[in-house]
Amino acid sequence: MHPDEETLARLALGEPVGAEDAAHAEGCASCQAFIAELAETLALVRESSGEELVAPPDSVWRAITDEVATDAAVPLSPVPAPAPTPPSASGSSGVDELAARRRPRFGWIAVAAAVGVVAGVVGTQVVPDLVSPQPQVIAQAQLDTLDTGTRGGEAELLSSRGRALDLRVQVKPLDPGDGYLEVWLINSDLKRMVSVGVLPSDATEQDFRVTRSLIDQGYVIVDISREQFDDRPQHSGDSLLRGSLA
Amino acid sequence: MGTGPFPATLAGGAGPTYAEEVPSDSALPQEDLAVRLRDGDADALAAVYERHSRLVHTLALRALGNHHDAEDVTQQVFVAAWRGRHNLDPGQGPLAAWLVGITRHAVADLLAQRARTVRNLHAVAAQPAEPATASLDGAVTDRVVVADALASLGEPRATILKLAFAEEQTHEEIARRLDLPLGTVKSHIRRGLLQLRENIRGVRADAS
């Protein structure tokens, strides 16, 4: 009977083993082959001692996620916004917004992987809590009316593992007039904006799926507007509530 | 209108704030990870990248000699792995072997492209072209693969093996230095060696 692998490892390392095991291994071709592989592994460890592993910079993972996110094969999470056309206040950033909308799933992975690579290099790290079902609030905004600054609600940016971000909007009932209520994220440059969806007129709380890349790009001002059922997909200019995520 | 300060970590991308989202590959057996990747799980791609990007990038860097090309190849390899995931046979050896194979192709492509460019330039200049010297050398591949497998053993095992084999310290010295019982050190060395043999099988240059 073959000695167990640990015994063969002892033999490869030149450590003493029982006489019976030693005698078997001596005359057994498969045991000898195994020991030879271990000896070769040992030699390789010695040779590789000067070999430094180099982690790629974060930009590589971002490039990968950007590239695969454009594949039709990627199982994208549904885009929450039923808005028919990407709106553009300035008329210049429709492409950016489309691009941002097409990457609903990979933003957090990019960050996670970037951090993970660093953690891997450093060595032992605290194992993160991966199973916690509780979404975490990573930013908040108080939503006020533009004219009088009256508090009308709030927004929270929620993060839970394995998912894109959710923008949770909580408001006192708003009057859509003859139209409907639309929720926007305005860029901090105040030139670009993207619709994240329609807020039902009777809703006091609603979640909208957004992406990390959108937030990273600076779309951090939450705006709720009153829109008409018209042929102008852009923001009506009739903002009811607004606030900055921080 | 004031937009308010936004947390730098959120606006800036990577930061320790997101440590809680790091995919844990320690909890995922490699074969399970391969199955998930093949089935199109984007989280699995992130985990595979986390686990193997240093290996791929270091191999590319050693073969190509510059960061820009190495980063291009690393990107190509993981994009190709994702697009070609249907061809992945999880029972067919380690994921690392598959990735090293893709890396070899990507490096060869880039070198061929480089050689063409050089030939064209020399043709224009009417000078004989010098042959490309860089390649993904088998011995280099082996060393990088082993270094990566060693790093993935976890601590204190990786350090113990390095001290024992690379620095040739005695088991007693290692036990003293790391304040571990001698028997524990010896056991780490035996098991680490067995683990390494397993991990580098099929990944090394001559095996694939």
Side-chain angles (χ1 to χ4, degrees):
Chain A
M1 191 180 136
H2 297 302
D4 63 20
E5 292 194 347
E6 280 221 31
T7 304
L8 295 176
R10 282 178 200 272
L11 283 164
L13 290 161
E15 292 173 15
V17 301
E20 201 177 315
D21 285 340
H24 169 92
E26 179 96 41
C28 171
S30 80
C31 286
Q32 284 300 319
F34 191 91
I35 293 170
E37 281 183 32
L38 290 177
E40 201 187 347
T41 306
L42 254 171
L44 280 167
V45 174
R46 285 201 184 96
E47 282 168 29
S48 67
S49 64
E51 206 61 53
E52 291 287 331
L53 294 165
V54 185
D58 299 354
S59 56
V60 173
W61 175 249
R62 287 179 194 285
I64 292 165
T65 55
D66 282 357
E67 207 176 335
V68 302
T70 60
D71 288 2
V74 179
L76 301 176
S77 341
V79 177
T85 346
S88 172
S90 65
S92 65
S93 57
V95 174
D96 287 353
E97 288 155 7
L98 268 181
R101 280 157 171 260
R102 286 169 69 182
R103 295 178 208 127
R105 198 179 156 78
F106 282 89
W108 74 271
I109 302 179
V111 176
V115 174
V117 169
V118 174
V121 172
V122 175
T124 36
Q125 295 276 324
V126 178
V127 177
D129 177 11
L130 293 168
V131 291
S132 168
Q134 277 302 329
Q136 291 187 319
V137 177
I138 58 177
Q140 283 176 300
Q142 183 175 322
L143 302 178
D144 298 329
T145 60
L146 264 65
D147 47 2
T148 60
T150 310
R151 178 81 173 266
E154 54 209 32
E156 290 175 328
L157 197 57
L158 301 171
S159 161
S160 50
R161 189 185 100 78
R163 299 175 52 196
L165 301 176
D166 281 314
L167 180 71
R168 175 166 295 167
V169 173
Q170 293 169 297
V171 291
K172 293 173 187 162
L174 293 166
D175 178 18
D178 297 328
Y180 62 97
L181 302 166
E182 190 158 10
V183 180
W184 308 79
L185 281 174
I186 304 176
N187 197 284
S188 53
D189 65 12
L190 300 180
K191 289 179 181 162
R192 296 172 287 165
M193 63 193 326
V194 57
S195 167
V196 298
V198 170
L199 180 68
S201 55
D202 56 352
T204 54
E205 180 177 309
Q206 181 86 16
D207 285 2
F208 299 93
R209 178 64 50 84
V210 297
T211 66
R212 178 91 63 189
S213 60
L214 206 54
I215 303 301
D216 288 346
Q217 287 289 317
Y219 291 85
V220 295
I221 302 166
V222 181
D223 180 283
I224 303 176
S225 70
R226 186 188 286 141
E227 299 291 335
Q228 299 302 315
F229 294 104
D230 55 21
D231 59 356
R232 293 162 56 243
Q234 67 267 35
H235 195 288
S236 63
D238 187 7
S239 282
L240 301 178
L241 295 172
R242 191 179 283 186
S244 280
L245 289 164
Chain B
M1 188 183 93
T3 60
F6 206 73
T9 48
L10 190 55
T17 319
Y18 297 120
E20 76 273 10
E21 290 183 351
V22 176
S24 160
D25 78 302
S26 58
L28 303 166
Q30 289 287 300
E31 194 168 319
D32 180 42
L33 196 54
V35 170
R36 286 172 49 210
L37 181 68
R38 187 199 56 197
D39 295 347
D41 180 346
D43 292 359
L45 179 65
V48 169
Y49 184 85
E50 184 197 347
R51 169 67 190 84
H52 296 293
S53 60
R54 280 177 302 161
L55 172 62
V56 169
H57 183 251
T58 306
L59 284 174
L61 191 57
R62 295 297 307 270
L64 299 166
N66 79 74
H67 284 274
H68 182 261
D69 286 348
E71 288 165 22
D72 272 0
V73 163
T74 305
Q75 179 182 341
Q76 282 172 28
V77 167
F78 284 94
V79 169
W82 177 255
R83 291 182 179 158
R85 63 189 182 275
H86 313 287
N87 303 322
L88 177 60
D89 180 354
Q92 191 72 50
L95 203 49
W98 187 62
L99 292 170
V100 169
I102 300 175
T103 306
R104 214 172 272 138
H105 282 293
V107 165
D109 278 356
L110 200 137
L111 289 174
Q113 199 182 317
R114 241 192 225 174
R116 269 197 304 278
T117 310
V118 169
R119 271 200 307 277
N120 292 346
L121 287 174
H122 283 278
V124 169
Q127 286 171 357
E130 288 172 31
T133 49
S135 72
L136 191 40
D137 174 65
V140 171
T141 305
D142 282 357
R143 287 203 300 272
V144 174
V145 163
V146 172
D148 183 60
L150 189 59
S152 72
L153 288 182
E155 296 299 350
R157 192 163 289 179
T159 297
I160 291 173
L161 263 76
K162 265 181 236 164
L163 292 174
F165 301 134
E167 299 188 18
E168 301 195 332
Q169 295 198 8
T170 66
H171 299 176
E172 289 78 8
E173 281 169 335
I174 296 169
R176 232 183 350 262
R177 188 159 158 186
L178 299 181
D179 196 20
L180 289 170
L182 184 59
T184 305
V185 169
K186 285 178 182 292
S187 159
H188 272 301
I189 289 173
R190 285 194 297 271
R191 288 184 194 159
L193 185 58
L194 290 167
Q195 231 175 319
L196 276 181
R197 171 188 163 275
E198 194 61 41
N199 289 354
I200 65 180
R201 283 180 84 184
V203 186
R204 293 182 45 213
D206 58 0
S208 48

